[in-house]
Amino acid sequence: MVQRVAIIGAGVSGLASIKACLEEGLEPICFERSDDIGGLWQFTDSAVDGRASIYRSVFTNSCKEMTCFSDFPFPEDFPNYLHNTKLQEYIQMFAKHFDLVKYIKFKTLVIRVKKRPDFTITGQWDVVTETDGKVESDVFDGVMVCSGHHVYPNFPANSYAGIEKFKGRFFHSREYKGAENFKGKKVLVIGLGNSGCDIAVELSNTASQVYLSSRSGSWVMSRVWDNGYPWDMVTINRFDNFLGNILPTAITDWLYVKQMNKWFDHENYSLMPLNRTLRKEPVFNDELPSCITCGTVVVKPSVKEFTETSAIFQDGTVQEDLDYVIFATGYSFAYPFMDDESILKCRDNTVTLYKSILPPKLEKPTMGVIGLVQSLGATIPTADIQTRWFIRVFKGFCKLPSESSMMDDIDEKMGKKLKWYGQSDTLQTDYITYMDELASVIGVKPNVPLLFLTDPKLALQVYFGPCSPYQFRLMGPGKWDGARNAILTQWDRTLKATRTRVVHSSQNSFPLFALLKILVISLLLVAIFMVFN
Ligand SMILES: Cc1cc2nc3c(=O)[nH]c(=O)nc-3n(C[C@H](O)[C@H](O)[C@H](O)COP(=O)(O)OP(=O)(O)OC[C@H]3O[C@@H](n4cnc5c(N)ncnc54)[C@H](O)[C@@H]3O)c2cc1C
Ligand SMILES: *[C@@H]1O[C@H](CO)[C@@H](O)[C@H](O)[C@H]1NC(C)=O
């Protein structure tokens, strides 16, 4: 009998899950509370309870070649960084191409997920749903939790002294949609993450003054990297990752800080992170430094307390006459449909998952959480490989270690996480390391030494070029015949987005020089591989 898998949510994680189930001969049934796919990228004019909510001007901070599903490149004429409506368009194209929508039950809320009484033998779940007030219950062999992790606001307003006296308006960034109502107002934005910086920059054109308050600072990077290439196309690659892993920490830390300060000096822009070597996700914002230097955004320390009209900061300074305070303080995770939430939050009420996917204490590995882990890399390819890993584990093709080894692995990762990313709720990890870890278990990690022997042209792109999602479709289960070509043409699609007015240059000495460089590097590399293998 075909095994049935319940998928909760039809955002990018849910869609990837439907596809992964189909690829492995399972029957997916996806429940989506709204009436459309796309999840977070499905923009709504006002925030809806229980769903992610974005502002009108959200752009991706990962570029199209690094953000796509691993066997479905973006059209070449799409821009490199995408407005949310553009990404939603792509998600629709993806769902249509693989014919995924027919597996989704829309306007259907999953209200309860519970182990069946015979769970230890069957691994089955009872899933209770509600459609138009009608409640139904059904039995499933597996459950994939794809309900999103930017839904429940981390809203610490009540922990700020005096906030109850404040006469202006204050709210969480998920309520923010656009700058319309802020004309001539004084606004304080709290939190130096991507949302906080985006909102501060956007308001700086409309509000009379914007203050941006941060406790621990952040690195702020430009999407536009050296020579105008997308930052992630240049910096996320296997060669740099390899160097990062073999060089002593003192050197990588030094290089990291130097790199981060190349564009502008973070200390003199009051943005410097307290712990400067933490590899916390940087903020991507091309305009913030310009707003700071033009004075439209003023960076402040954290707020000590509020009065009726003002904020008093930790350094004793006071900002009077504030009209609005926006808390861009991020999100916390919840799974309200879980009958027993401790399955997912099995320690200290925090989400504890093997490989950031699997609850380690389940008698049968029949539940997976998709899209939770955070890294410098994009969510779509990460969710994609997570679903493939989970399905292989679910089907018993990949052996799991014992519960205690899984807990040890989780502890080890937690230790690493603390060291590299600091204390935070999110499960931060290194993108390539994580992708490879899952990929090697399911047998889809590209075999670079073999590639250098059989297909050197491709190998060079795979090793020195961007670690784009197509790399995980070159071989093994789920192999895609178009992967090689997608890798060899990824730079063409990147350039196509910006070379919209072609000017023929007369002198072009670049190719020869690049070829020489590649030759030298590949010789070096072959030598390295011979030593290590
Ligand atoms: C402002 C912002 C910018 C971002 N920018 C980027 C970026 O540039 N690049 C990137 O890779 N990532 C980015 N992200 C991360 C983003 O979360 C992921 O890209 C991705 O959208 C996550 O998809 P998901 O499917 O896991 O969750 P979601 O998109 O949140 O989808 C979850 C779905 O589940 C449904 N659902 C929830 N609960 C239930 C239930 N009980 N029953 C039925 N249905 C339910 C919801 O309606 C929703 O459709 C950004 C996030 C934010 C907030
Ligand atoms: C930052 O400011 C200090 C003065 O406080 C100055 O000495 C230093 O040169 C500045 N840094 C840079 C990189 O400009």
Side-chain angles (χ1 to χ4, degrees), residues 273-449:
L274 279 182
N275 184 342
R276 52 195 65 185
T277 59
L278 279 188
R279 305 303 199 266
K280 221 171 73 169
E281 188 194 3
V283 167
F284 288 90
N285 199 304
D286 294 85
E287 291 139 277
L288 183 64
S290 144
C291 289
I292 294 174
T293 204
C294 294
T296 52
V297 173
V298 176
V299 181
K300 303 294 287 181
S302 56
V303 176
K304 197 163 77 190
E305 69 173 289
F306 288 96
T307 69
E308 284 189 1
T309 55
S310 67
I312 303 170
F313 296 95
Q314 288 299 347
D315 60 358
T317 55
V318 181
Q319 214 54 72
E320 291 288 353
D321 304 324
L322 292 175
D323 299 297
Y324 288 95
V325 179
I326 301 176
F327 287 86
T329 38
Y331 295 88
S332 56
F333 316 137
Y335 309 94
F337 45 81
M338 287 297 289
D339 179 65
D340 176 6
E341 208 183 16
S342 76
I343 291 175
L344 302 177
K345 300 186 171 179
C346 72
R347 207 166 48 186
D348 308 332
N349 199 30
T350 54
V351 184
T352 310
L353 300 167
Y354 179 59
K355 305 280 183 210
S356 306
I357 301 172
L358 197 75
K361 291 184 192 288
L362 281 182
E363 297 86 345
K364 298 264 175 185
T366 56
M367 173 174 278
V369 177
I370 306 298
L372 171 57
V373 75
Q374 286 210 338
S375 71
L376 255 190
T379 307
I380 291 179
T382 312
D384 192 57
I385 200 120
Q386 286 182 324
T387 61
R388 292 166 72 195
W389 180 90
F390 172 72
I391 297 292
R392 301 291 288 179
V393 167
F394 172 76
K395 290 191 71 173
F397 291 140
C398 303
K399 278 273 156 293
L400 285 172
S402 67
E403 185 193 314
S404 68
S405 322
M406 288 200 265
M407 290 307 282
D408 289 346
D409 185 77
I410 291 170
D411 286 336
E412 194 197 315
K413 300 274 157 61
M414 282 306 250
K416 278 206 188 122
K417 190 203 107 174
L418 273 178
K419 174 163 171 267
W420 287 97
Y421 304 101
Q423 189 70 51
S424 74
D425 280 350
T426 53
L427 304 174
Q428 283 267 0
T429 183
D430 176 70
Y431 179 67
I432 297 183
T433 310
Y434 181 68
M435 296 292 281
D436 274 353
E437 206 176 303
L438 298 184
S440 57
V441 176
I442 52 183
V444 301
K445 180 182 161 191
N447 185 337
V448 181

Side-chain angles (χ1 to χ4, degrees), residues 98-115:
F98 291 102
D99 202 9
L100 306 177
V101 177
K102 65 181 180 202
Y103 301 96
I104 306 170
K105 292 193 169 152
F106 290 106
K107 293 186 174 170
T108 303
L109 177 70
V110 173
I111 50 179
R112 213 150 93 104
V113 174
K114 192 180 178 193
K115 280 181 183 174

Side-chain angles (χ1 to χ4, degrees), residues 55 61 191-199 201 212 214 217-223 225 231 256 260 263-264 266 271 273 280-289 376:
Y55 36 97
N61 45 33
L192 202 61
N194 277 300
S195 299
C197 293
D198 277 352
I199 293 171
V201 164
L212 181 55
S214 171
S218 278
W219 294 114
V220 177
M221 300 278 96
S222 170
R223 290 179 174 89
W225 211 251
W231 72 269
Y256 183 73
M260 290 302 199
W263 186 22
F264 63 91
H266 280 65
L271 297 169
K280 221 171 73 169
E281 188 194 3
V283 167
F284 288 90
N285 199 304
D286 294 85
E287 291 139 277
L288 183 64
L376 255 190

